[in-house]
Amino acid sequence: MMGKKVIWVLAVVLFLLHQDVWFWNDRRIVLGFMPIGLAYHALFSIAAACLWAAALKWAWPQEVEDWAMEGDELEVKS
Amino acid sequence: MTPLYVIGGYLVLLLGLGIFSARFFRGTAGDFFVASRSIGPFMLLMSVFGTTMTGFALVGSSAKSYTDGIGVYGLMASYSGLIHSACFFLVGIKLWAMGKRYGYVTQCQYFRDRFDSPALGFLLFPILVVLIIPYLLVGLIAAGSVIRGLTVGKTLPNGTVIPGYFPEFFEATNGAVPPWVTGLVIAIVVLVYVFLGGVRSTAWANTFQTLVFMVTGVIAFTLIAKALGGPAAATQLVVDNAPEHLAREGKISKAQFFTYAFIPLSVGMFPHLFQHWLTARSAKSFRLTVVAHPVFIMIVWVPCVLIGVWAAGKGMTAPTPNAILAKMVAVLVHDDIVTGIVMAGILAAIMSSLDSQFMCMSTMFTHDVVLRCRGDREISDKELLWLGRGFVIVIVAVSYGISLIKLPINVFDLGVWCFSGFGALFPIVFAAVYWARATKAGVITAVVLTAAVWAGMLYYDLAVFKVDYPHEEFLVWGMMPVAVLFGVCLISLVGVSLMTKAPNAAVVDKFFPKGRGNHQDAEA
C-alpha cells in the first residue's frame, strides 16, 4: 500500500516537473546540439518510463488480473 | 518514379503481411473482434503505439516545431508519455478485466451495463461516431496530400512548367497523383487485411507499420543531420538564424502549456484503443506497453522536432508547414529511395491508426446497433462474424466517400476538436472504473452537457473566430478549450451523481467486487 502511495506522489511530482517555467526562455545548447528545453523534456520521457516501471513493481494491480482470470470467460457478448 | 516504387513495394508487403496474418484467424466472431483476447506484450505495445500515433507523429511534429519551435515536444510528446501510460495503467487494465470477465467488445456495452442504462448506450454511440469520423478522415486526406506533394510538377524560375509524374493519366492535376486515387488505394489495402483477419490482422499490420515509421524518423534524422554538417552544425544554424525556435517564450503561453495536459487523456476514451486493450492475453501484456510507450514517443518525436527547427534555421520554405519534412529530405538528401522510404513511413503512421478506426467502427455498428435492435432473434457466431465483415466494407466505403466531398470546414481543425471531445469525456470512464457512487443520471447529464458545450465552442471557433483570426488557435482565458470542457464534464458528473439516488447494489457488486482492492463507497 505504501509503495502505491509513493508511486502516485511521484506521478504528481513528475507532472509538476513538466511545467518547466525555469527553461521557458532558456536557449542554451547541451551535448553540442540539443536545445536545453528539448533535452529536459526528452529526459522527462525517460523519467516517465522509469516511473511506470516502478509502478509495475510496487503498484501492480494483481487482484484485478486474478479477478479477470478466475471467472468463466465470455469471449464476445452478444 | 523510384519513390513511388518504394511506396508501392511497401503497400504490397503490408498487404502480404495482412493476408499472411489472416492464416492465424480462428474463424470466430471473438477472434475477428478481439483476437480471442490472445495478443501478447510485444504486439500489444506495437499495435497500441501505432494506433495512438497518427501521421501527426512524423508530419505534424516537424511542421509544428518548424513554426513554433521546440516547445511542441513538451506540449504533445512528453505529456503523452506520462499521461497515456497512466491511462493504460489505471484505466486500460481495469477495462481489459471487465471485458474479459463479461465479454465486452465495445465501450457502449460496458457503459450500458456499468450504469444499468440502455439509454446511455444509445446516447454515447452517435457521439463516439461523430468524434471518430473526422479523425478517420484526417488520415485519408493526409495520405492523399502526401502522395500528391511527392508527385506534383513544378514551375521553374524561367516559367517552364515541368509536369508531375503521370501527366498522361492525371491531366487535371498536371501529372500529380490526385488524392482520390491515393485514398482509394489506401482504403483497399486496409480493407483487405481488416476484412480477412479482423483485429488480429490489424495488430500484425500495426506492428510492422510501427517499426517502419519509427525507423523512418531515425533514418531521415541521420541523413539530414549529415547533410547539414552534423547535429551540432545544424543546431548552430538555428542559433544564428532562428533563435526564438530554441525556447517557448512568445510561441506558447504557460496556461496553454499547462492545459494541454487534458488532450492526451483522450486515449482513455478512444473506442479503437478500447478495442485493442481488450485483445490482451492477460493484464501482464500491458506491462511492456506502459513502460515503453514514453520511450517510443521520444524515439519518434525528438528527431522530428529537431528536423523542424533545423528547417527553420536553414531558412527552408514549403507550401505548407506539413510539407517541411518531405522538403528537407528532398532538398538535402537527394536520394529517391530515401524519399520513398520517408513517404512510406508517413503512410505507415497514418494507416496504423486508420485500420484500427475502421475496425472499431465496424465493431460498434455490429454490436451497438444491429445486435441491440435484433429483438429476440438469435444471431449465430458465423452471422456475427459476417456482420462485422460487412460493416468493415460499409464503413470503409462511406469514409472514403466522405473524404471525396469538399467539406466547408478544415478537417484538420475538426480533428483537434475531436481529441478535445474524447479528452473532455475522460471523467466518465475514470468514474465508471473507480467511483461506485457515480450514477446514470450523472453520466448522462455529463455526456449531454459536454457534447452541447463542445458543439457550441466548435461552432464559435470555426464559424466566428477562425473567420477573423484564421491562423490563431482558439483559447478560452488563455487555456485550451478542452480544459473548460473537462471541467463541465467533471462538475456535472460529480454534482448530479451526488444529488441522485445511489446505483443499485447488484450493479455495484458486479463492477466493484469486494476483496479486490475496491472501496464499496456507494450508499444504499
Side-chain angles (χ1 to χ4, degrees), chain A residues 8 11 14-15 18-21 23-27 29 32-35 37-38 41-46 48-49 51-53 55-56 59-78, chain B residues 30 36-37 70 73-74 78-79 82 85-86 89-90 93 96-98 100-103 105 109 113 231-232 235 243-244 246-249 252-254 257-258 261 282-284 287 290-291 294-295 298 306 367 374 513 516:
Chain A
W8 298 124
L14 208 53
F15 180 82
H18 189 275
Q19 319 307 316
D20 60 329
V21 288
F23 287 138
W24 205 258
N25 201 22
D26 194 331
R27 297 175 181 181
I29 306 295
F33 73 100
M34 281 282 269
L38 182 59
H41 279 279
L43 267 179
F44 181 94
S45 296
I46 294 169
L51 170 76
W52 296 122
L56 296 185
W60 179 251
Q62 186 59 45
E63 70 283 357
V64 174
E65 179 160 27
D66 293 344
W67 175 79
M69 301 301 259
E70 76 189 13
D72 292 330
E73 181 180 329
L74 278 172
E75 198 174 64
V76 171
K77 181 188 167 97
S78 59
Chain B
S36 302
R37 306 188 198 276
I70 54 125
Y73 187 89
S78 56
Y79 253 149
L82 182 66
S85 286
F89 189 70
L90 292 172
I93 292 173
W96 164 82
M98 300 289 171
K100 186 166 180 66
R101 190 72 187 257
Y102 301 130
V105 177
Q109 287 178 328
D113 275 11
T235 301
E244 70 282 1
L246 300 171
R248 277 158 284 176
E249 188 67 45
I252 302 161
S253 78
K254 293 187 177 76
F257 191 78
F258 177 76
S282 70
K284 287 188 180 64
R287 286 171 173 256
V290 168
V291 175
V295 179
M298 185 188 74
L306 280 170
H367 289 82
R374 76 183 191 271
R516 294 293 178 209

Side-chain angles (χ1 to χ4, degrees), chain B residues 100-172:
Chain B
K100 186 166 180 66
R101 190 72 187 257
Y102 301 130
Y104 298 129
V105 177
T106 71
Q107 279 171 312
C108 290
Q109 287 178 328
Y110 166 68
F111 281 117
R112 197 163 40 228
D113 275 11
R114 166 65 184 86
F115 293 104
D116 194 20
S117 169
L120 178 60
F122 286 116
L123 172 69
L124 263 180
F125 176 79
I127 291 174
L128 295 175
V129 170
V130 164
L131 288 176
I132 201 96
I133 283 177
Y135 188 7
L136 202 153
L137 290 178
V138 168
L140 280 174
I141 293 170
S145 304
V146 166
I147 301 298
R148 186 185 172 129
L150 177 68
T151 55
V152 76
K154 56 186 170 189
T155 306
L156 298 178
N158 62 9
T160 311
V161 176
I162 298 179
Y165 281 34
F166 305 100
E168 64 278 25
F169 290 111
F170 308 116
E171 259 181 60

Side-chain angles (χ1 to χ4, degrees), chain B residues 248-475:
Chain B
R248 277 158 284 176
E249 188 67 45
K251 298 281 186 188
I252 302 161
S253 78
K254 293 187 177 76
Q256 191 185 0
F257 191 78
F258 177 76
T259 53
Y260 233 94
F262 294 100
I263 298 273
L265 288 174
S266 52
V267 300
M269 274 303 290
F270 280 157
H272 48 297
L273 215 50
F274 178 90
Q275 192 166 5
H276 274 297
W277 289 342
L278 297 187
T279 64
R281 186 189 304 148
S282 70
K284 287 188 180 64
S285 296
F286 280 82
R287 286 171 173 256
L288 187 59
T289 303
V290 168
V291 175
H293 192 79
V295 179
F296 272 32
I297 292 177
M298 185 188 74
I299 291 170
V300 173
W301 278 70
V302 167
C304 291
V305 168
L306 280 170
I307 289 172
V309 294
W310 288 348
K314 179 82 178 154
M316 195 72 76
T317 56
T320 69
N322 282 338
I324 205 67
L325 173 63
K327 186 79 187 281
M328 287 285 276
V329 171
V331 171
L332 296 173
V333 180
H334 305 295
D335 186 316
D336 282 349
I337 292 177
V338 175
T339 303
I341 290 172
V342 169
M343 295 301 160
I346 294 169
L347 290 185
I350 291 169
M351 291 165 75
S352 62
S353 303
L354 212 51
D355 53 9
S356 303
Q357 291 159 347
F358 284 143
M359 188 62 221
C360 101
M361 292 272 280
S362 142
T363 308
M364 286 166 70
F365 272 98
T366 306
H367 289 82
D368 298 330
V369 177
V370 177
L371 289 187
R372 292 298 296 173
C373 302
R374 76 183 191 271
D376 294 332
R377 185 176 173 275
E378 282 296 314
I379 289 184
S380 69
D381 193 73
K382 212 165 189 67
E383 283 176 304
L384 196 59
L385 167 63
W386 280 100
L387 264 175
R389 283 180 161 162
F391 270 114
V392 168
I393 297 174
V394 173
I395 299 295
V396 172
V398 171
S399 307
Y400 175 66
I402 298 174
S403 77
L404 299 178
I405 301 169
K406 188 155 175 56
L407 298 170
I409 47 178
N410 183 336
V411 77
F412 293 92
D413 286 341
L414 207 52
V416 174
W417 276 99
C418 292
F419 273 77
S420 300
F422 282 119
L425 289 173
F426 181 78
I428 70 166
V429 71
F430 194 81
V433 169
Y434 287 101
W435 193 36
R437 183 63 178 79
T439 67
K440 64 179 162 192
V443 174
I444 289 173
T445 309
V447 171
V448 170
L449 274 180
T450 307
V453 178
W454 178 86
M457 281 185 167
L458 171 69
Y459 174 78
Y460 178 79
D461 179 29
L462 300 180
V464 181
F465 184 81
K466 281 281 184 299
V467 173
D468 295 333
Y469 308 99
H471 303 298
E472 283 190 32
E473 196 156 10
F474 172 63
L475 301 173

